[in-house]
Amino acid sequence: ELKVEQNPLFLSMQEGKNYTIYCNYSTTSDRLYWYRQDPGKSLESLFVLLSNGAVKQEGRLMASLDTKARLSTLHITAAVHDLSATYFCAVEGETSGSRLTFGEGTQLTVNP
Amino acid sequence: DGGITQSPKYLFRKEGQNVTLSCEQNLNHDAMYWYRQDPGQGLRLIYYSQIVNDFQKGDIAEGYSVSREKKESFPLTVTSAQKNPTAFYLCASSLVLLYGEQYFGPGTRLTVT
């Protein structure tokens, strides 16, 4: 059974600071997705990582994938208040067809 | 505009009543999914369907039922057998042939009293 763990689950940081969210998964996979969810809203796709060593960047967010370590990171650079949200990683297992297994989510609060 | 629509946005029901949540997509996606989200928690898969007239149970299918008679539509029925149905329900779809990135609808918040 594929398990996906994120840490930290809660992150409070000041504007202008850098931080990294980690996503570990338990079985072989080379397809990982990051989503953002604002309170009371749906999920918005942020990044699609489809191979070992993949790196994607959008604004102050950068995501990477290390399939050998079964680890993805979401790095936040010079955080701003607008980045406050919950971030989920989701993994597509090699034998799970189109199913995604989601992490518990990291609730990020960026304080002025 | 292509996308996924869910209706209604908010739904209130009395205990013991079945209720059906609508999900429609015009993205021409093959696969569709239903998730449940409880406050402060992640997403749990209820049911999914990769082709018309076929669907599979997810991790928490008990007390729910679905149908997939058309490619565009994947309604979810929350039955009276579901012990704790109050939650935020999210529908998603994906184009399976390429990779599994899922696109989500706006969600339905169901409250059962």
Side-chain angles (χ1 to χ4, degrees):
Chain A
E1 181 190 349
L2 174 57
K3 293 191 186 301
V4 180
E5 292 184 351
Q6 287 182 235
N7 72 83
L9 298 183
F10 298 93
L11 176 55
S12 180
M13 54 192 297
Q14 284 190 312
E15 280 190 327
K17 299 293 186 184
N18 304 334
Y19 209 84
T20 300
I21 298 170
Y22 297 89
C23 174
N24 292 272
Y25 53 97
S26 60
T27 66
T28 307
S29 173
D30 58 1
R31 296 181 175 186
L32 190 140
Y33 309 86
W34 283 96
Y35 291 88
R36 168 182 171 142
Q37 185 179 37
D38 291 299
K41 303 292 187 183
S42 185
L43 273 71
E44 171 192 355
S45 180
L46 290 175
F47 298 110
V48 177
L49 304 170
L50 299 177
S51 61
N52 186 41
V55 177
K56 297 278 184 74
Q57 182 162 7
E58 179 73 35
R60 300 174 188 274
L61 300 177
M62 183 173 71
S64 66
L65 178 61
D66 181 344
T67 59
K68 293 178 182 173
R70 298 179 184 171
L71 170 69
S72 179
T73 61
L74 180 66
H75 187 71
I76 303 155
T77 301
V80 293
H81 179 70
D82 284 352
L83 290 179
S84 297
T86 299
Y87 294 86
F88 291 94
C89 65
V91 178
E92 185 179 348
E94 285 191 342
T95 59
S96 61
S98 63
R99 286 183 59 158
L100 296 183
T101 299
F102 283 80
E104 293 179 56
T106 296
Q107 187 175 316
L108 171 65
T109 303
V110 181
N111 302 303
Chain B
D1 280 337
I4 303 175
T5 57
Q6 290 184 243
S7 61
K9 188 173 181 179
Y10 299 95
L11 189 54
F12 298 88
R13 280 294 182 268
K14 294 290 187 185
E15 226 176 84
Q17 294 179 331
N18 292 354
V19 60
T20 297
L21 282 58
S22 167
C23 178
E24 305 274 334
Q25 54 97 1
N26 61 3
L27 299 167
N28 199 31
H29 283 175
D30 303 298
M32 297 185 75
Y33 312 81
W34 274 106
Y35 294 91
R36 170 183 172 136
Q37 187 178 34
D38 293 287
Q41 297 190 28
L43 277 67
R44 292 186 288 169
L45 182 64
I46 304 172
Y47 269 99
Y48 66 108
S49 166
Q50 294 187 300
I51 56 172
V52 174
N53 293 322
D54 187 45
F55 48 83
Q56 287 79 40
K57 292 182 179 180
D59 301 317
I60 56 165
E62 186 175 346
Y64 300 97
S65 65
V66 293
S67 63
R68 186 89 186 275
E69 297 176 2
K70 299 187 298 181
K71 188 176 184 178
E72 304 78 20
S73 178
F74 191 40
L76 173 75
T77 297
V78 184
T79 75
S80 56
Q82 168 50 233
K83 300 295 181 198
N84 187 16
T86 295
F88 188 43
Y89 290 87
L90 287 160
C91 178
S93 70
S94 69
L95 187 58
V96 176
L97 289 178
L98 293 178
Y99 48 84
E101 182 185 15
Q102 293 182 13
Y103 297 82
F104 284 81
T108 292
R109 193 165 300 277
L110 173 64
T111 303
V112 177
T113 56

mmCIF file of all heavy atoms in Angstrom, chain A residues 9-49:
data_model
loop_
_atom_site.group_PDB
_atom_site.id
_atom_site.type_symbol
_atom_site.label_atom_id
_atom_site.label_comp_id
_atom_site.label_asym_id
_atom_site.label_seq_id
_atom_site.Cartn_x
_atom_site.Cartn_y
_atom_site.Cartn_z
ATOM 1 N N LEU A 9 3.398 19.338 9.160
ATOM 2 C CA LEU A 9 1.970 19.448 8.891
ATOM 3 C C LEU A 9 1.492 20.881 9.098
ATOM 4 O O LEU A 9 0.503 21.305 8.482
ATOM 5 C CB LEU A 9 1.192 18.500 9.796
ATOM 6 C CG LEU A 9 1.491 17.010 9.614
ATOM 7 C CD1 LEU A 9 0.597 16.176 10.528
ATOM 8 C CD2 LEU A 9 1.313 16.585 8.169
ATOM 9 N N PHE A 10 2.165 21.594 9.967
ATOM 10 C CA PHE A 10 1.830 22.992 10.220
ATOM 11 C C PHE A 10 3.118 23.809 10.156
ATOM 12 O O PHE A 10 4.134 23.412 10.723
ATOM 13 C CB PHE A 10 1.176 23.173 11.592
ATOM 14 C CG PHE A 10 -0.117 22.432 11.737
ATOM 15 C CD1 PHE A 10 -0.140 21.163 12.274
ATOM 16 C CD2 PHE A 10 -1.311 23.004 11.326
ATOM 17 C CE1 PHE A 10 -1.326 20.456 12.398
ATOM 18 C CE2 PHE A 10 -2.505 22.313 11.450
ATOM 19 C CZ PHE A 10 -2.511 21.035 11.982
ATOM 20 N N LEU A 11 3.048 24.936 9.467
ATOM 21 C CA LEU A 11 4.240 25.755 9.300
ATOM 22 C C LEU A 11 3.841 27.216 9.388
ATOM 23 O O LEU A 11 3.033 27.691 8.587
ATOM 24 C CB LEU A 11 4.880 25.462 7.945
ATOM 25 C CG LEU A 11 6.090 26.280 7.530
ATOM 26 C CD1 LEU A 11 7.183 26.209 8.572
ATOM 27 C CD2 LEU A 11 6.603 25.796 6.175
ATOM 28 N N SER A 12 4.416 27.907 10.360
ATOM 29 C CA SER A 12 4.176 29.331 10.502
ATOM 30 C C SER A 12 5.493 30.040 10.263
ATOM 31 O O SER A 12 6.486 29.727 10.915
ATOM 32 C CB SER A 12 3.649 29.650 11.903
ATOM 33 O OG SER A 12 3.404 31.029 12.041
ATOM 34 N N MET A 13 5.508 30.940 9.307
ATOM 35 C CA MET A 13 6.766 31.590 8.988
ATOM 36 C C MET A 13 6.551 33.077 8.730
ATOM 37 O O MET A 13 5.435 33.518 8.462
ATOM 38 C CB MET A 13 7.442 30.940 7.786
ATOM 39 C CG MET A 13 6.588 30.837 6.537
ATOM 40 S SD MET A 13 7.301 29.778 5.263
ATOM 41 C CE MET A 13 8.793 30.626 4.845
ATOM 42 N N GLN A 14 7.646 33.807 8.803
ATOM 43 C CA GLN A 14 7.560 35.250 8.589
ATOM 44 C C GLN A 14 7.775 35.567 7.116
ATOM 45 O O GLN A 14 8.484 34.843 6.401
ATOM 46 C CB GLN A 14 8.619 35.959 9.425
ATOM 47 C CG GLN A 14 8.269 36.036 10.901
ATOM 48 C CD GLN A 14 9.226 36.964 11.636
ATOM 49 O OE1 GLN A 14 10.433 36.857 11.476
ATOM 50 N NE2 GLN A 14 8.676 37.863 12.420
ATOM 51 N N GLU A 15 7.192 36.647 6.700
ATOM 52 C CA GLU A 15 7.427 37.109 5.339
ATOM 53 C C GLU A 15 8.922 37.308 5.115
ATOM 54 O O GLU A 15 9.644 37.742 6.012
ATOM 55 C CB GLU A 15 6.683 38.427 5.086
ATOM 56 C CG GLU A 15 5.214 38.235 4.796
ATOM 57 C CD GLU A 15 4.529 39.506 4.306
ATOM 58 O OE1 GLU A 15 4.911 40.590 4.739
ATOM 59 O OE2 GLU A 15 3.595 39.381 3.487
ATOM 60 N N GLY A 16 9.351 36.964 3.939
ATOM 61 C CA GLY A 16 10.744 37.156 3.575
ATOM 62 C C GLY A 16 11.645 35.964 3.865
ATOM 63 O O GLY A 16 12.774 35.894 3.379
ATOM 64 N N LYS A 17 11.147 35.011 4.631
ATOM 65 C CA LYS A 17 11.955 33.843 4.994
ATOM 66 C C LYS A 17 11.806 32.727 3.968
ATOM 67 O O LYS A 17 10.845 32.698 3.181
ATOM 68 C CB LYS A 17 11.545 33.321 6.374
ATOM 69 C CG LYS A 17 11.740 34.315 7.490
ATOM 70 C CD LYS A 17 13.194 34.601 7.739
ATOM 71 C CE LYS A 17 13.368 35.487 8.973
ATOM 72 N NZ LYS A 17 14.787 35.856 9.195
ATOM 73 N N ASN A 18 12.763 31.789 4.019
ATOM 74 C CA ASN A 18 12.739 30.612 3.158
ATOM 75 C C ASN A 18 12.395 29.378 3.977
ATOM 76 O O ASN A 18 12.757 29.309 5.173
ATOM 77 C CB ASN A 18 14.099 30.388 2.507
ATOM 78 C CG ASN A 18 14.583 31.583 1.730
ATOM 79 O OD1 ASN A 18 13.781 32.389 1.253
ATOM 80 N ND2 ASN A 18 15.891 31.716 1.613
ATOM 81 N N TYR A 19 11.749 28.430 3.338
ATOM 82 C CA TYR A 19 11.475 27.165 4.030
ATOM 83 C C TYR A 19 11.181 26.077 3.011
ATOM 84 O O TYR A 19 10.897 26.359 1.851
ATOM 85 C CB TYR A 19 10.289 27.312 4.998
ATOM 86 C CG TYR A 19 10.408 26.363 6.169
ATOM 87 C CD1 TYR A 19 11.166 26.705 7.289
ATOM 88 C CD2 TYR A 19 9.788 25.130 6.145
ATOM 89 C CE1 TYR A 19 11.288 25.836 8.347
ATOM 90 C CE2 TYR A 19 9.904 24.258 7.202
ATOM 91 C CZ TYR A 19 10.655 24.608 8.301
ATOM 92 O OH TYR A 19 10.790 23.749 9.342
ATOM 93 N N THR A 20 11.271 24.817 3.475
ATOM 94 C CA THR A 20 11.037 23.665 2.607
ATOM 95 C C THR A 20 10.028 22.728 3.228
ATOM 96 O O THR A 20 10.103 22.428 4.423
ATOM 97 C CB THR A 20 12.349 22.912 2.339
ATOM 98 O OG1 THR A 20 13.283 23.796 1.696
ATOM 99 C CG2 THR A 20 12.109 21.707 1.433
ATOM 100 N N ILE A 21 9.089 22.275 2.405
ATOM 101 C CA ILE A 21 8.127 21.243 2.800
ATOM 102 C C ILE A 21 8.570 19.940 2.158
ATOM 103 O O ILE A 21 8.949 19.924 0.978
ATOM 104 C CB ILE A 21 6.709 21.623 2.328
ATOM 105 C CG1 ILE A 21 6.257 22.922 2.987
ATOM 106 C CG2 ILE A 21 5.722 20.502 2.615
ATOM 107 C CD1 ILE A 21 4.976 23.498 2.397
ATOM 108 N N TYR A 22 8.505 18.853 2.922
ATOM 109 C CA TYR A 22 8.974 17.564 2.444
ATOM 110 C C TYR A 22 7.814 16.601 2.225
ATOM 111 O O TYR A 22 6.844 16.594 2.984
ATOM 112 C CB TYR A 22 9.953 16.956 3.452
ATOM 113 C CG TYR A 22 11.190 17.790 3.636
ATOM 114 C CD1 TYR A 22 11.227 18.801 4.589
ATOM 115 C CD2 TYR A 22 12.312 17.585 2.841
ATOM 116 C CE1 TYR A 22 12.356 19.580 4.747
ATOM 117 C CE2 TYR A 22 13.452 18.354 2.998
ATOM 118 C CZ TYR A 22 13.465 19.356 3.949
ATOM 119 O OH TYR A 22 14.593 20.130 4.100
ATOM 120 N N CYS A 23 7.970 15.782 1.201
ATOM 121 C CA CYS A 23 6.959 14.770 0.878
ATOM 122 C C CYS A 23 7.686 13.448 0.631
ATOM 123 O O CYS A 23 8.425 13.322 -0.350
ATOM 124 C CB CYS A 23 6.169 15.204 -0.349
ATOM 125 S SG CYS A 23 5.002 13.969 -0.968
ATOM 126 N N ASN A 24 7.485 12.509 1.522
ATOM 127 C CA ASN A 24 8.089 11.178 1.387
ATOM 128 C C ASN A 24 7.020 10.174 1.003
ATOM 129 O O ASN A 24 5.885 10.258 1.485
ATOM 130 C CB ASN A 24 8.705 10.739 2.717
ATOM 131 C CG ASN A 24 9.907 11.561 3.093
ATOM 132 O OD1 ASN A 24 11.026 11.258 2.715
ATOM 133 N ND2 ASN A 24 9.686 12.623 3.837
ATOM 134 N N TYR A 25 7.386 9.194 0.170
ATOM 135 C CA TYR A 25 6.421 8.173 -0.192
ATOM 136 C C TYR A 25 7.071 6.802 -0.133
ATOM 137 O O TYR A 25 8.290 6.678 -0.186
ATOM 138 C CB TYR A 25 5.793 8.459 -1.552
ATOM 139 C CG TYR A 25 6.767 8.676 -2.678
ATOM 140 C CD1 TYR A 25 7.108 7.637 -3.529
ATOM 141 C CD2 TYR A 25 7.326 9.933 -2.908
ATOM 142 C CE1 TYR A 25 7.989 7.836 -4.576
ATOM 143 C CE2 TYR A 25 8.211 10.137 -3.950
ATOM 144 C CZ TYR A 25 8.536 9.091 -4.780
ATOM 145 O OH TYR A 25 9.416 9.290 -5.814
ATOM 146 N N SER A 26 6.217 5.784 -0.047
ATOM 147 C CA SER A 26 6.714 4.482 0.387
ATOM 148 C C SER A 26 7.036 3.490 -0.724
ATOM 149 O O SER A 26 7.729 2.503 -0.470
ATOM 150 C CB SER A 26 5.690 3.831 1.329
ATOM 151 O OG SER A 26 4.459 3.649 0.649
ATOM 152 N N THR A 27 6.526 3.680 -1.933
ATOM 153 C CA THR A 27 6.800 2.713 -2.995
ATOM 154 C C THR A 27 7.315 3.421 -4.241
ATOM 155 O O THR A 27 7.275 4.639 -4.330
ATOM 156 C CB THR A 27 5.548 1.896 -3.356
ATOM 157 O OG1 THR A 27 4.578 2.759 -3.939
ATOM 158 C CG2 THR A 27 4.964 1.219 -2.152
ATOM 159 N N THR A 28 7.750 2.638 -5.187
ATOM 160 C CA THR A 28 8.346 3.195 -6.398
ATOM 161 C C THR A 28 7.342 4.026 -7.175
ATOM 162 O O THR A 28 6.221 3.600 -7.412
ATOM 163 C CB THR A 28 8.848 2.052 -7.300
ATOM 164 O OG1 THR A 28 9.704 1.217 -6.535
ATOM 165 C CG2 THR A 28 9.615 2.615 -8.484
ATOM 166 N N SER A 29 7.764 5.210 -7.541
ATOM 167 C CA SER A 29 6.921 6.069 -8.370
ATOM 168 C C SER A 29 7.785 7.145 -9.002
ATOM 169 O O SER A 29 8.741 7.608 -8.387
ATOM 170 C CB SER A 29 5.821 6.735 -7.546
ATOM 171 O OG SER A 29 5.126 7.678 -8.342
ATOM 172 N N ASP A 30 7.442 7.546 -10.210
ATOM 173 C CA ASP A 30 8.146 8.679 -10.809
ATOM 174 C C ASP A 30 7.154 9.750 -11.250
ATOM 175 O O ASP A 30 7.424 10.518 -12.159
ATOM 176 C CB ASP A 30 9.032 8.232 -11.976
ATOM 177 C CG ASP A 30 8.234 7.534 -13.067
ATOM 178 O OD1 ASP A 30 7.004 7.413 -12.916
ATOM 179 O OD2 ASP A 30 8.840 7.109 -14.054
ATOM 180 N N ARG A 31 6.001 9.767 -10.586
ATOM 181 C CA ARG A 31 5.008 10.784 -10.918
ATOM 182 C C ARG A 31 4.466 11.376 -9.630
ATOM 183 O O ARG A 31 3.837 10.670 -8.832
ATOM 184 C CB ARG A 31 3.867 10.178 -11.730
ATOM 185 C CG ARG A 31 4.327 9.668 -13.076
ATOM 186 C CD ARG A 31 3.184 9.114 -13.853
ATOM 187 N NE ARG A 31 3.600 8.735 -15.204
ATOM 188 C CZ ARG A 31 2.773 8.328 -16.146
ATOM 189 N NH1 ARG A 31 1.487 8.240 -15.895
ATOM 190 N NH2 ARG A 31 3.235 8.008 -17.343
ATOM 191 N N LEU A 32 4.705 12.662 -9.460
ATOM 192 C CA LEU A 32 4.293 13.311 -8.227
ATOM 193 C C LEU A 32 3.725 14.677 -8.558
ATOM 194 O O LEU A 32 4.196 15.368 -9.474
ATOM 195 C CB LEU A 32 5.490 13.430 -7.274
ATOM 196 C CG LEU A 32 5.174 13.876 -5.848
ATOM 197 C CD1 LEU A 32 5.990 13.110 -4.836
ATOM 198 C CD2 LEU A 32 5.355 15.375 -5.682
ATOM 199 N N TYR A 33 2.719 15.069 -7.787
ATOM 200 C CA TYR A 33 1.986 16.301 -8.060
ATOM 201 C C TYR A 33 1.892 17.119 -6.782
ATOM 202 O O TYR A 33 1.752 16.571 -5.688
ATOM 203 C CB TYR A 33 0.570 15.970 -8.545
ATOM 204 C CG TYR A 33 0.559 14.975 -9.681
ATOM 205 C CD1 TYR A 33 0.575 13.609 -9.427
ATOM 206 C CD2 TYR A 33 0.549 15.396 -11.009
ATOM 207 C CE1 TYR A 33 0.591 12.689 -10.461
ATOM 208 C CE2 TYR A 33 0.556 14.485 -12.047
ATOM 209 C CZ TYR A 33 0.581 13.128 -11.771
ATOM 210 O OH TYR A 33 0.606 12.236 -12.796
ATOM 211 N N TRP A 34 1.964 18.427 -6.943
ATOM 212 C CA TRP A 34 1.738 19.344 -5.823
ATOM 213 C C TRP A 34 0.486 20.174 -6.115
ATOM 214 O O TRP A 34 0.312 20.682 -7.226
ATOM 215 C CB TRP A 34 2.928 20.276 -5.614
ATOM 216 C CG TRP A 34 4.093 19.616 -4.935
ATOM 217 C CD1 TRP A 34 5.188 19.050 -5.533
ATOM 218 C CD2 TRP A 34 4.283 19.473 -3.522
ATOM 219 N NE1 TRP A 34 6.038 18.557 -4.578
ATOM 220 C CE2 TRP A 34 5.516 18.800 -3.337
ATOM 221 C CE3 TRP A 34 3.552 19.837 -2.394
ATOM 222 C CZ2 TRP A 34 6.021 18.497 -2.076
ATOM 223 C CZ3 TRP A 34 4.060 19.522 -1.151
ATOM 224 C CH2 TRP A 34 5.284 18.865 -0.992
ATOM 225 N N TYR A 35 -0.336 20.323 -5.050
ATOM 226 C CA TYR A 35 -1.561 21.102 -5.144
ATOM 227 C C TYR A 35 -1.598 22.121 -4.022
ATOM 228 O O TYR A 35 -1.022 21.919 -2.956
ATOM 229 C CB TYR A 35 -2.796 20.199 -5.008
ATOM 230 C CG TYR A 35 -3.031 19.267 -6.172
ATOM 231 C CD1 TYR A 35 -2.444 18.004 -6.203
ATOM 232 C CD2 TYR A 35 -3.856 19.641 -7.230
ATOM 233 C CE1 TYR A 35 -2.674 17.145 -7.263
ATOM 234 C CE2 TYR A 35 -4.095 18.780 -8.296
ATOM 235 C CZ TYR A 35 -3.498 17.538 -8.301
ATOM 236 O OH TYR A 35 -3.728 16.689 -9.355
ATOM 237 N N ARG A 36 -2.357 23.171 -4.275
ATOM 238 C CA ARG A 36 -2.592 24.200 -3.249
ATOM 239 C C ARG A 36 -4.088 24.257 -2.975
ATOM 240 O O ARG A 36 -4.913 24.158 -3.898
ATOM 241 C CB ARG A 36 -2.109 25.563 -3.756
ATOM 242 C CG ARG A 36 -2.569 26.727 -2.891
ATOM 243 C CD ARG A 36 -2.137 28.062 -3.435
ATOM 244 N NE ARG A 36 -2.789 29.132 -2.689
ATOM 245 C CZ ARG A 36 -2.192 30.278 -2.367
ATOM 246 N NH1 ARG A 36 -0.960 30.536 -2.742
ATOM 247 N NH2 ARG A 36 -2.858 31.202 -1.691
ATOM 248 N N GLN A 37 -4.445 24.430 -1.689
ATOM 249 C CA GLN A 37 -5.848 24.600 -1.321
ATOM 250 C C GLN A 37 -5.981 25.794 -0.388
ATOM 251 O O GLN A 37 -5.367 25.821 0.682
ATOM 252 C CB GLN A 37 -6.403 23.340 -0.645
ATOM 253 C CG GLN A 37 -7.892 23.441 -0.360
ATOM 254 C CD GLN A 37 -8.462 22.187 0.287
ATOM 255 O OE1 GLN A 37 -7.806 21.559 1.107
ATOM 256 N NE2 GLN A 37 -9.684 21.830 -0.092
ATOM 257 N N ASP A 38 -6.802 26.768 -0.787
ATOM 258 C CA ASP A 38 -7.142 27.883 0.081
ATOM 259 C C ASP A 38 -8.324 27.473 0.941
ATOM 260 O O ASP A 38 -9.116 26.606 0.557
ATOM 261 C CB ASP A 38 -7.459 29.122 -0.752
ATOM 262 C CG ASP A 38 -6.209 29.654 -1.440
ATOM 263 O OD1 ASP A 38 -5.269 30.022 -0.718
ATOM 264 O OD2 ASP A 38 -6.162 29.675 -2.679
ATOM 265 N N PRO A 39 -8.480 28.091 2.110
ATOM 266 C CA PRO A 39 -9.554 27.687 3.036
ATOM 267 C C PRO A 39 -10.932 27.688 2.388
ATOM 268 O O PRO A 39 -11.329 28.672 1.748
ATOM 269 C CB PRO A 39 -9.462 28.739 4.147
ATOM 270 C CG PRO A 39 -8.041 29.180 4.133
ATOM 271 C CD PRO A 39 -7.631 29.158 2.692
ATOM 272 N N GLY A 40 -11.631 26.587 2.505
ATOM 273 C CA GLY A 40 -12.976 26.478 1.968
ATOM 274 C C GLY A 40 -13.053 26.315 0.465
ATOM 275 O O GLY A 40 -14.151 26.284 -0.105
ATOM 276 N N LYS A 41 -11.909 26.210 -0.176
ATOM 277 C CA LYS A 41 -11.871 26.129 -1.649
ATOM 278 C C LYS A 41 -11.412 24.760 -2.098
ATOM 279 O O LYS A 41 -11.056 23.896 -1.308
ATOM 280 C CB LYS A 41 -10.916 27.198 -2.198
ATOM 281 C CG LYS A 41 -11.247 28.605 -1.786
ATOM 282 C CD LYS A 41 -12.525 29.094 -2.408
ATOM 283 C CE LYS A 41 -12.750 30.564 -2.114
ATOM 284 N NZ LYS A 41 -14.046 31.034 -2.653
ATOM 285 N N SER A 42 -11.393 24.611 -3.430
ATOM 286 C CA SER A 42 -10.954 23.358 -4.038
ATOM 287 C C SER A 42 -9.434 23.332 -4.180
ATOM 288 O O SER A 42 -8.742 24.225 -3.717
ATOM 289 C CB SER A 42 -11.631 23.212 -5.400
ATOM 290 O OG SER A 42 -11.326 21.963 -5.969
ATOM 291 N N LEU A 43 -8.930 22.286 -4.810
ATOM 292 C CA LEU A 43 -7.488 22.155 -5.014
ATOM 293 C C LEU A 43 -7.084 22.706 -6.363
ATOM 294 O O LEU A 43 -7.753 22.485 -7.374
ATOM 295 C CB LEU A 43 -7.079 20.678 -4.939
ATOM 296 C CG LEU A 43 -6.766 20.133 -3.548
ATOM 297 C CD1 LEU A 43 -8.029 20.004 -2.721
ATOM 298 C CD2 LEU A 43 -6.040 18.795 -3.649
ATOM 299 N N GLU A 44 -5.952 23.388 -6.362
ATOM 300 C CA GLU A 44 -5.400 23.975 -7.577
ATOM 301 C C GLU A 44 -4.060 23.305 -7.859
ATOM 302 O O GLU A 44 -3.208 23.185 -6.968
ATOM 303 C CB GLU A 44 -5.203 25.475 -7.356
ATOM 304 C CG GLU A 44 -4.431 26.190 -8.444
ATOM 305 C CD GLU A 44 -4.019 27.598 -8.020
ATOM 306 O OE1 GLU A 44 -4.416 28.041 -6.923
ATOM 307 O OE2 GLU A 44 -3.271 28.242 -8.760
ATOM 308 N N SER A 45 -3.866 22.855 -9.079
ATOM 309 C CA SER A 45 -2.619 22.188 -9.437
ATOM 310 C C SER A 45 -1.474 23.184 -9.491
ATOM 311 O O SER A 45 -1.599 24.253 -10.107
ATOM 312 C CB SER A 45 -2.777 21.505 -10.801
ATOM 313 O OG SER A 45 -1.577 20.863 -11.169
ATOM 314 N N LEU A 46 -0.356 22.846 -8.844
ATOM 315 C CA LEU A 46 0.822 23.699 -8.851
ATOM 316 C C LEU A 46 1.921 23.136 -9.763
ATOM 317 O O LEU A 46 2.424 23.821 -10.643
ATOM 318 C CB LEU A 46 1.391 23.842 -7.444
ATOM 319 C CG LEU A 46 0.594 24.645 -6.430
ATOM 320 C CD1 LEU A 46 1.261 24.564 -5.059
ATOM 321 C CD2 LEU A 46 0.444 26.085 -6.875
ATOM 322 N N PHE A 47 2.310 21.901 -9.495
ATOM 323 C CA PHE A 47 3.433 21.310 -10.227
ATOM 324 C C PHE A 47 3.144 19.856 -10.574
ATOM 325 O O PHE A 47 2.518 19.141 -9.805
ATOM 326 C CB PHE A 47 4.719 21.352 -9.389
ATOM 327 C CG PHE A 47 5.173 22.745 -9.036
ATOM 328 C CD1 PHE A 47 5.089 23.206 -7.735
ATOM 329 C CD2 PHE A 47 5.686 23.585 -10.017
ATOM 330 C CE1 PHE A 47 5.511 24.483 -7.403
ATOM 331 C CE2 PHE A 47 6.111 24.868 -9.701
ATOM 332 C CZ PHE A 47 6.017 25.315 -8.396
ATOM 333 N N VAL A 48 3.675 19.455 -11.734
ATOM 334 C CA VAL A 48 3.642 18.058 -12.167
ATOM 335 C C VAL A 48 5.087 17.622 -12.351
ATOM 336 O O VAL A 48 5.821 18.215 -13.152
ATOM 337 C CB VAL A 48 2.866 17.913 -13.493
ATOM 338 C CG1 VAL A 48 2.900 16.477 -13.971
ATOM 339 C CG2 VAL A 48 1.436 18.398 -13.325
ATOM 340 N N LEU A 49 5.517 16.614 -11.611
ATOM 341 C CA LEU A 49 6.897 16.126 -11.668
ATOM 342 C C LEU A 49 6.862 14.694 -12.180
ATOM 343 O O LEU A 49 6.286 13.818 -11.532
ATOM 344 C CB LEU A 49 7.539 16.189 -10.281
ATOM 345 C CG LEU A 49 7.526 17.580 -9.626
ATOM 346 C CD1 LEU A 49 7.945 17.488 -8.168
ATOM 347 C CD2 LEU A 49 8.449 18.523 -10.373
#
